[in-house]
Amino acid sequence: MSQPSASPSLVAQQVEQEHDALRDLLGAIAKQLSQGPGAARMVADDLSELGDLLGRHFRTEEDAGFFAEIIDKDARFTGEASRLCDEHATMLRDAKSLADRLSVADDAAAIWPDLRHDFHELSIQLMRHEGDENRLLQQAYVEDIGSKD
């Protein structure tokens, strides 16, 4: 049985830290949304921050070498890494759309139920996506994939 590979790089560690920050921000927004339209200003600010954070996070994964590093470990991960990269644009667009919808709403109460629902759906998608990335990282660095037997 092969030994685990070297520990993840600084980029992989940065991605993990960004995942933590995203989870914290998603939790804060969910809590604010549960408080009702009176929290609209805070929600709008945090949704804008979410879009910014996602943009930086996705650039880290795509441009700073996170996925390239995983593929370098084993080219079999290319398809999954590509699928995850493809999801970035949609999730970023959806996050920015939530912020835009709230910022231009004349009556936050009128859009609040849809905003809560759509935010919940985006959160689920982001958490699934993050879990897929974490599993991919674990496979690349920890699991015995049989390549060194």
Side-chain angles (χ1 to χ4, degrees):
M1 186 158 142
S2 67
Q3 295 297 315
S5 300
S7 55
S9 72
L10 292 176
V11 160
Q13 292 172 19
Q14 179 181 348
V15 166
E16 289 178 22
Q17 291 171 349
E18 290 172 358
H19 284 174
D20 291 341
L22 282 167
R23 276 191 303 277
D24 290 347
L25 184 55
L26 290 172
I29 295 169
K31 183 177 180 179
Q32 292 164 358
L33 282 166
S34 72
Q35 296 171 359
R41 183 72 260 148
M42 288 189 315
V43 171
D45 290 346
D46 283 352
L47 285 173
S48 179
E49 182 182 341
L50 177 63
D52 293 343
L53 182 57
L54 281 173
R56 287 190 307 272
H57 175 64
F58 293 156
R59 282 190 299 278
T60 297
E61 291 178 341
E62 294 174 13
D63 300 337
F66 175 74
F67 287 119
E69 185 178 309
I70 289 171
I71 292 167
D72 284 347
K73 288 284 183 191
D74 192 320
R76 291 180 294 165
F77 299 133
T78 301
E80 181 66 2
S82 179
R83 180 189 69 78
L84 290 166
C85 282
D86 290 345
E87 291 179 354
H88 289 170
T90 301
M91 289 185 293
L92 184 58
R93 182 196 67 229
D94 291 349
K96 289 183 182 261
S97 173
L98 290 172
D100 292 344
R101 283 168 40 202
L102 185 55
S103 70
V104 300
D106 292 329
D107 180 10
I111 68 162
W112 208 254
D114 288 339
L115 191 71
R116 282 185 71 180
H117 174 268
D118 294 346
F119 174 78
H120 179 72
E121 292 299 314
L122 176 61
S123 294
I124 290 170
Q125 183 180 15
L126 283 166
M127 291 300 94
R128 181 203 43 81
H129 178 87
E130 179 184 306
D132 289 350
E133 288 174 345
N134 289 340
R135 278 186 289 285
L136 190 62
L137 182 65
Q138 183 178 17
Q139 287 175 326
Y141 281 94
V142 179
E143 291 182 1
D144 177 11
I145 57 173
S147 64
K148 308 237 183 325
D149 286 344

